[in-house]
Amino acid sequence: MNDMSTQANESLGDYVARARAWLDAMEPRFGHEARKGLTVDQDLALAREYQRLKSEAGYACITLPRALGGGGGSEIQKILFGQEEFKHDFPTTYFTVSQGMPIPMLLRYADKEIGQRLAPPAIRGETIWCQLFSEPSAGSDLAAVRTRATRDGDGWRIDGQKLWTTWAQYADYAIAVVRTDPTVPKHAGLTFFWLDMKSPGITVKPVRKLAGESEINEVFFDNVYVPDSQRMGDVGAGFRVAIETLMIERYSVADDACGGPTLNEFAKLAANSRINGRAAIDDGQVRRALAEAIVERQGLRSIHRRALSAIAEGKEPGPEGSIRKLRLARRRQAMGELAMDLMGAEGMLLEPEGTSTLDHVWSWMDVPGARIAGGTDEILRNTIAEKVLGLPQDYRPDKKVPFNQIG
Amino acid sequence: MENEILTMLLDQAVRLLDAEASQTRLKALLEEPGSFDAALWGKAVELGWPAIAIAEESGGLGLGIGSLAPLLQELGQRTVSLPLASGYVTAAALLEGGVAADVAAQLASGQAIATLALGEAGECGLSPAVVFSGGTLKGAKAPASFAAVATHALVSARDGDTPGLYLVDLTAAGVTRDVVPTIDNARAAAALRFDDTPATLVVAGWNALLRHAGVAATLVAFEQIGGAERCLRISVDYAKERKVFGQAIGAFQAIKHKLADMYQELEIGRGCAIDALESLEEGRGDFLMLACTARLGAGMAYDFAARECIQTHGGIGVTWEAEPHHHYRRARSLALEIGGAPFWRDLLVDGQQILETV
Ligand SMILES: Cc1cc2nc3c(=O)[nH]c(=O)nc-3n(C[C@H](O)[C@H](O)[C@H](O)COP(=O)(O)OP(=O)(O)OC[C@H]3O[C@@H](n4cnc5c(N)ncnc54)[C@H](O)[C@@H]3O)c2cc1C
C-alpha cells in the first residue's frame, strides 16, 4: 500500500492538490452519476467501499493515528480535505456522525484495548456508530434525559427511549447518555456509555421524515445489559462528556451552501427565469437577495479561513464561528423559496431523483431539519447571547432541583 | 335570507370537513402524484359548494364571491384541496366573455371540474408563450392544480401579441396531460400540453387576464389565511404544552416573539384579503391593486407561518406524522400556482404608481 497520508514537509497547498487528484480519481466510481438510481442499501454498500479506499489512502479520520486506519494528519488537513471532498457528491453521509463524534470519544474515554479493537473497522467503514443523546423530552434540553440505567452486578440495565438518532437503523454501536441517578439535579445524574446495538432488548424503529429517505430513528431499550467496562467517564459525569462530544465538530465544514445548491446555481436559475418576460437576474429584488447572500458567504468564508489559520497555529479560533450554521441554514431556506418563486408554477415540481445539493426544490423541501438538528436556531442564538456576549442566562427553574422532583 | 343560507352552508362545511379531513386521509393524498379526494368532492357537490358563488344566469346559486371566501378559508385551515376557486374563476370568465354557458352550468353543478393553467416553464409571472392561432392552441403549460382530474382548463395564451384566456375541453384532440410529482401531491397537479388543440377565446387582453388572475388570487388568499390561522393555532398550542428547561417553550421570548410575528403577518394578510374581496364585490377600480396586496400579504403570512410552525415544533416538526409539513407544502403550492411573488410585487408597484398619479 502506498502510504500517502504523511509526507514530510508537504505544504498545505501540495496537500490539497494531492487530495484533489485522489478525489478526482474516485469520481467515476463514487460520484453523482454512479450513485443515481441506487437503493439506500446499494448506496450504503458503495459508501463502505469508498470508506475503505479512503482509509487506505489516509483520508479517513485524518486526525486519528495511521495505525488505526486514520490519516495521522492535522486538524487543518482534515478540514481542507473535507472542503475538497464536498465538491463531489460522494456517499459519505452514513459515516458523518459515526466518525465525527463517537470514534474520537471512544479513543479518549474507553479502555485502550477497546479503542484499538473497535475504532479501525469504524474508520474503514465496516461498522457504523450512532449517537443516542436526544429523547422525546430531551432535545434542546439534553440534561432532561429520562432513559434510566440501574446497577446490576458488574454492569447496568438500561430502560427507556431515544429519539431522532441519525442512522441508528444501520448502526452496529452507539454512544449514549443515560440517567443513573434521578435523586440529584438533572445535570449531575447522567452517565455516558458505549453500547453494542445488537444487545438483546434494543429495538430500532425508523421515523419517517417529511420528505425523502429518512436517517432518523426511535431506539427503545428494554432491560438492556451493559457491562460497567463500557462506561465512558465517571458515574455522574455524563453531561460533561456529552457536551465535550458536541464540541468536537464545532469547526467542521458545513459547506457554504449548507447542503443546498450553490449561489452560482441560483444565479444560473435567475439568468434563465423571466418575470413577465424580463430576465429575473435583472430584477432589483432578485439582485438584492443574491447580493445579500454573497455578502454573507464572504463574511463566513473569512471567519472560516481565520479559524483555520488559528487551528493551524495551534490557537483557539474566535467565537464568531458559532454563527455559521445559524446563518447558512436560514439562507438555504430563503434562497430555496426565492428560487421556487422564480420558477413560478414549475417550482411545484419535485423530481423523484432530485437531490438537495443540485435541486432548488429539494433543497427547500429538506432544509427544515437543518434549522433544528445540531442545535435549533433559537438555542444557537441563546448560546451566542450567553456564551459569546456574556448576557445573563435564561430563567432555569429546574436547574438545582433533584430530577425526580421536577414537575 | 342569504346570510342564513350562508351560515347554514358554513356549518355544514365545518361538520363535513371535520368528519372527513382526517390527517390519515390527507397524508394518503400526499403519497401519490396527482391525488384527488373524489369522495369528498362528491359530497361537496351534493352540498352545492361549486354552485354557491357562481351567478344565477350561469346556473349557480348567485350568492356571490363573498360566500366562497369563508368556505375556502375552512378548506385552507385543514389543507383540503377542492377545485372551487378554479371553478368559480372559470365560470365568471365564461359569463363575462359570453361563451360556453353550458360549461359554466356544468361547473356550477359539479359535473365539470376546471383547472387554471396560467403558468409556464421559465416564467415566474403570467405572461403566456402558448400560442392561439386558427382556433387552436399550441405549447406547454407548467403544472397546474387539478389538471390531473379536470374536464376543462382555463388557459392563458397569446394570439399574436394579445394575451387572453381560452377555454379548452380536456377531452379534445391534441391534449397531453402529464401527472407530475409535486411538493403537494394532494392538489392533483398535471402539466398540460396542447398540440393544435381546439380552444375558445374567453376574454382578451392583458388587463382582462390580470383581473381574472386577481380574482383567483383573492380567493386563494382566503385559503392561505385559513392555513396561516391553523399554523398559528397549532404552534401556540404546542408552545403552551411542550416543556423544555422546566417551562413551556412559549415562555421563551424567542418563541413568543416568533408567534407574535406570525400573528402580525396573518392579520396583515387577512386585512389585505378582506379589502380585495370587498373591492371585487363592489366592482371598484382599485381591485387589481388590492388583489396584489392580498396575494402578497396572505402568501407571505402563510409561508412564514408554515416555516416557523415546523421550527416551533422542533424535531417533531420535520416528521411525516406531524401536521406542519402539510402546511409547508401547501403554503408554497398556493404561492406558486398563479404567478410567483416577484411578479405580483412588480404589478403592485406599477399599479400603485398609476393610482397615485390619477
Ligand atoms: C434531522 C435530525 C437529525 C438528528 N440527529 C440526532 C442524532 O443523531 N442524535 C441525537 O441525539 N439527536 C439528534 N437530533 C435531535 C436534535 O438534537 C433535536 O431535535 C434538537 O436538539 C431539538 O430538540 P427537540 O426536537 O426536542 O425540540 P425542543 O427542544 O422541544 O424545541 C422546540 C422549540 O422550542 C425552542 N426552544 C427550546 N428551548 C429554547 C430556549 N431555551 N429558548 C428559546 N427557544 C427554545 C426550540 O428552538 C424549538 O423551536 C436530530 C434532529 C434532527 C431534526
Side-chain angles (χ1 to χ4, degrees):
Chain A
M1 185 178 79
N2 180 12
D3 186 346
M4 303 168 67
S5 61
T6 45
Q7 299 194 351
N9 301 327
E10 185 184 40
S11 75
L12 285 178
D14 289 347
Y15 177 82
V16 169
R18 193 159 54 80
R20 265 190 203 152
W22 185 83
L23 287 162
D24 286 343
M26 294 293 128
E27 174 65 30
R29 279 183 71 189
F30 303 106
H32 184 71
E33 286 305 314
R35 295 176 64 197
K36 249 191 187 159
L38 296 187
T39 64
V40 182
D41 285 340
Q42 291 167 332
D43 196 47
L44 177 57
L46 193 72
R48 290 190 197 274
E49 177 60 10
Y50 173 60
Q51 206 54 44
R52 188 179 62 78
L53 295 177
K54 246 174 107 170
S55 172
E56 278 177 13
Y59 293 127
C61 297
I62 287 168
T63 55
L64 297 182
R66 200 69 195 103
L68 299 174
S74 64
E75 183 71 22
I76 186 102
Q77 287 178 335
K78 176 180 161 190
I79 294 170
L80 291 172
F81 179 83
Q83 254 165 334
E84 292 305 317
E85 186 183 47
F86 194 82
K87 295 176 186 162
H88 301 263
D89 192 19
F90 292 165
T92 53
T93 173
Y94 312 101
F95 302 103
T96 316
V97 171
S98 180
Q99 302 186 346
M101 286 82 84
I103 295 310
M105 290 306 283
L106 190 76
L107 292 170
R108 255 182 239 181
Y109 280 93
D111 287 350
K112 189 146 191 276
E113 177 275 321
I114 287 170
Q116 304 285 323
R117 182 160 54 85
L118 295 182
I123 295 170
R124 290 192 303 265
E126 289 155 23
T127 57
I128 292 176
W129 287 64
C130 64
Q131 185 159 302
L132 295 162
F133 287 11
S134 304
E135 297 182 5
S137 318
S140 302
D141 186 5
L142 179 57
V145 155
R146 288 182 187 174
T147 298
R148 272 281 288 162
T150 41
R151 285 270 185 198
D152 180 15
D154 283 346
W156 303 79
R157 291 278 168 187
I158 301 184
D159 286 282
Q161 182 198 348
K162 294 287 175 179
L163 184 57
W164 314 124
T165 319
T166 299
W167 301 126
Q169 71 265 54
Y170 302 124
D172 305 282
Y173 300 96
I175 50 173
V177 60
V178 295
R179 186 159 306 279
T180 42
D181 186 355
T183 66
V184 295
K186 61 180 185 176
H187 295 88
L190 302 172
T191 303
F192 206 98
F193 292 92
W194 69 267
L195 313 169
D196 185 338
M197 287 294 282
K198 312 245 159 37
S199 312
I202 295 183
T203 316
V204 178
K205 249 182 82 187
V207 174
R208 189 168 173 188
K209 273 208 307 189
L210 51 73
E213 288 295 339
S214 186
E215 72 277 30
I216 50 183
N217 299 272
E218 287 178 288
V219 180
F220 297 93
F221 295 84
D222 179 14
N223 202 27
V224 176
Y225 181 75
V226 184
D228 191 54
S229 60
Q230 293 183 198
R231 176 160 51 78
M232 292 164 66
D234 293 336
V235 173
F239 188 73
R240 197 182 46 71
V241 182
I243 293 299
E244 191 181 324
T245 311
L246 297 175
M247 298 298 267
I248 292 185
E249 289 284 279
R250 230 177 350 162
Y251 305 108
S252 70
V253 251
D255 69 296
D256 278 332
C258 194
T262 62
L263 293 181
N264 281 353
E265 288 299 321
F266 178 85
K268 257 191 253 168
L269 173 77
N272 292 320
S273 308
R274 295 178 309 279
I275 304 174
N276 241 12
R278 286 178 298 107
I281 193 75
D282 293 334
D283 180 84
Q285 11 176 0
V286 176
R287 296 174 84 80
R288 177 178 178 166
L290 185 54
E292 285 176 354
I294 295 170
V295 169
E296 180 180 84
R297 184 179 65 178
Q298 195 55 42
L300 292 173
R301 279 183 177 172
S302 170
I303 291 169
H304 192 58
R305 207 180 49 246
R306 283 179 282 132
L308 293 198
S309 331
I311 292 170
E313 290 165 22
K315 293 188 211 143
E316 181 73 2
E320 60 278 4
S322 59
I323 71 175
R324 187 177 177 85
K325 189 199 84 120
L326 178 60
R327 297 296 291 234
L328 287 179
R330 291 176 71 97
R331 181 66 64 184
R332 177 175 147 192
Q333 190 167 42
M335 295 313 274
E337 216 171 84
L338 181 56
M340 291 163 85
D341 277 344
L342 295 184
M343 292 189 235
E346 195 88 354
M348 294 192 289
L349 276 178
L350 191 65
E351 297 291 350
E353 302 262 291
T355 59
S356 289
T357 40
L358 301 171
D359 182 317
H360 299 281
V361 183
W362 264 111
S363 169
W364 167 84
M365 188 80 247
D366 202 31
V367 72
R371 291 182 56 196
I372 292 161
T376 66
D377 286 2
E378 291 72 26
I379 291 297
L380 294 177
R381 284 203 184 87
N382 279 352
T383 306
I384 292 169
E386 293 173 10
K387 299 274 158 48
V388 182
L389 305 178
L391 289 165
Q393 215 193 31
D394 267 358
Y395 173 58
R396 295 266 190 272
D398 62 354
K399 207 173 170 183
K400 302 222 161 68
V401 186
F403 186 73
N404 58 8
Q405 285 169 34
I406 296 173
Chain B
M1 178 58 194
E2 278 196 4
N3 269 342
E4 275 167 34
I5 298 179
L6 261 183
T7 313
M8 191 193 74
L9 219 131
L10 271 183
D11 280 353
Q12 277 178 340
V14 168
R15 256 180 286 129
L16 178 68
L17 293 171
D18 281 347
E20 306 265 327
S22 68
Q23 284 283 304
T24 321
R25 193 146 153 193
L26 292 166
K27 283 182 206 301
L29 292 168
L30 288 176
E31 299 272 11
E32 289 299 320
S35 294
F36 182 62
D37 194 336
L40 183 58
W41 175 241
K43 293 189 177 161
V45 169
E46 273 172 36
L47 292 175
W49 295 358
I52 54 173
I54 292 177
E56 278 176 288
E57 59 260 60
S58 301
L61 290 175
L63 296 179
I65 188 167
S67 65
L68 194 48
L71 183 56
L72 286 169
Q73 201 170 327
E74 295 294 338
L75 296 186
Q77 288 216 1
R78 297 164 178 81
T79 61
V80 166
S81 279
L82 297 175
L84 293 171
S86 56
Y88 171 79
V89 171
T90 304
L94 293 177
L95 181 63
E96 182 181 306
V99 294
D102 54 329
V103 175
Q106 287 167 18
L107 288 168
S109 71
Q111 272 169 282
I113 291 176
T115 174
L116 302 178
L118 303 179
E120 289 179 17
E123 172 60 65
C124 137
L126 296 178
S127 174
V130 167
V131 170
F132 178 79
S133 167
T136 63
L137 289 178
K138 210 176 185 56
K141 301 304 282 187
S145 290
F146 306 110
V149 294
T151 56
H152 294 80
L154 190 66
V155 181
S156 57
R158 59 176 58 250
D159 182 354
D161 281 340
T162 312
L165 292 172
Y166 295 82
L167 181 70
V168 177
D169 177 341
L170 292 175
T171 59
V175 175
T176 313
R177 201 189 308 230
D178 276 330
V179 171
V180 287
T182 68
I183 53 171
D184 188 359
N185 286 330
R187 284 189 79 70
L192 297 174
R193 227 161 359 97
F194 305 115
D195 198 6
D196 295 328
T197 305
T200 312
L201 174 67
V202 180
V203 290
W206 183 233
N207 288 338
L209 193 162
L210 286 183
R211 195 156 26 76
H212 289 286
V215 176
T218 305
L219 287 171
V220 167
F222 281 88
E223 219 169 321
Q224 291 168 316
I225 291 304
E229 281 174 342
R230 174 75 185 163
C231 289
L232 179 58
R233 179 149 21 100
I234 62 178
S235 300
V236 166
D237 286 349
Y238 192 72
K240 287 179 183 166
E241 151 203 325
R242 172 69 172 171
K243 276 198 160 179
V244 164
F245 298 107
Q247 55 214 297
I249 57 168
F252 300 119
Q253 283 198 344
I255 296 295
K256 233 182 229 171
H257 289 185
K258 187 195 293 301
L259 301 183
D261 286 347
M262 221 187 258
Y263 174 76
Q264 298 165 57
E265 294 295 326
L266 166 62
E267 291 308 324
I268 299 282
R270 189 201 307 279
C272 292
I274 288 172
D275 280 7
L277 182 66
E278 187 184 284
S279 171
L280 180 60
E281 286 179 308
E282 293 174 3
R284 297 203 315 253
D286 61 359
F287 169 65
L288 188 56
M289 201 199 94
L290 292 174
C292 291
T293 61
R295 174 100 185 112
L296 293 164
M300 254 170 350
Y302 196 16
D303 268 332
F304 178 76
R307 209 192 294 139
E308 298 307 322
C309 179
I310 291 184
Q311 185 65 20
T312 304
H313 282 74
I316 294 288
V318 306
T319 62
W320 173 264
E321 281 311 313
E323 182 178 341
H325 75 98
H326 293 247
H327 296 281
Y328 192 61
R329 295 165 185 277
R330 181 61 44 81
R332 280 279 79 198
S333 34
L334 295 180
L336 298 174
E337 281 173 16
I338 34 175
F343 161 74
W344 290 92
R345 289 193 197 109
D346 270 1
L347 199 61
L348 175 61
V349 175
D350 290 345
Q352 178 72 38
Q353 282 161 358
I354 293 162
L355 275 188
E356 296 293 321
T357 53
V358 174

